[in-house]
Amino acid sequence: MPYDELLKWTSFFRKRPVGWQEDQRTYLLLRAAGVKSSAENIFHSLKVIKQEQENKQVPDQAVPKGKFLEMMLKAKNGDNSGWTIK
């Protein structure tokens, strides 16, 4: 396995820990049994997943985005700023 692929798998398993689905099912059973605590307080894997989802919701402030930028880039000669839309 190439080194860069290994790094990508490591990153993937940091974001989606092994066994998180079992932890989710167990939490649902605990919740049905009357446990009032949140899933993140009981299972570390679910805390990691929730943090990853929250990080995705934070808008990226480093790269400009929006309709106005799209219009500028589609202009006849663009705006020559070097920005690209991802």
Side-chain angles (χ1 to χ4, degrees), residues 21-83:
Q21 294 166 325
E22 290 83 2
D23 292 345
Q24 177 67 26
R25 276 186 241 125
T26 304
Y27 173 72
L28 293 174
L29 292 171
L30 290 171
R31 188 76 179 178
V35 172
K36 300 293 182 194
S37 184
S38 68
E40 297 81 34
N41 291 338
I42 299 173
F43 296 104
H44 177 71
S45 62
L46 299 178
K47 183 177 183 177
V48 170
I49 290 175
K50 183 175 181 181
Q51 287 174 343
E52 183 64 29
Q53 289 173 349
E54 289 173 353
N55 289 342
K56 285 183 180 179
Q57 292 177 355
V58 175
D60 184 12
Q61 300 295 328
V63 180
K65 297 177 183 159
K67 192 68 173 171
F68 186 69
L69 176 63
E70 289 177 29
M71 290 171 52
M72 287 175 24
L73 293 174
K74 289 178 184 176
K76 186 172 182 179
N77 291 320
D79 69 340
N80 298 323
S81 66
W83 293 104

Side-chain angles (χ1 to χ4, degrees), residues 1-14:
M1 175 185 314
Y3 181 69
D4 59 336
E5 184 178 351
L6 176 66
L7 291 178
K8 289 177 184 177
W9 278 113
T10 304
S11 174
F12 174 79
F13 285 120
R14 262 193 225 119

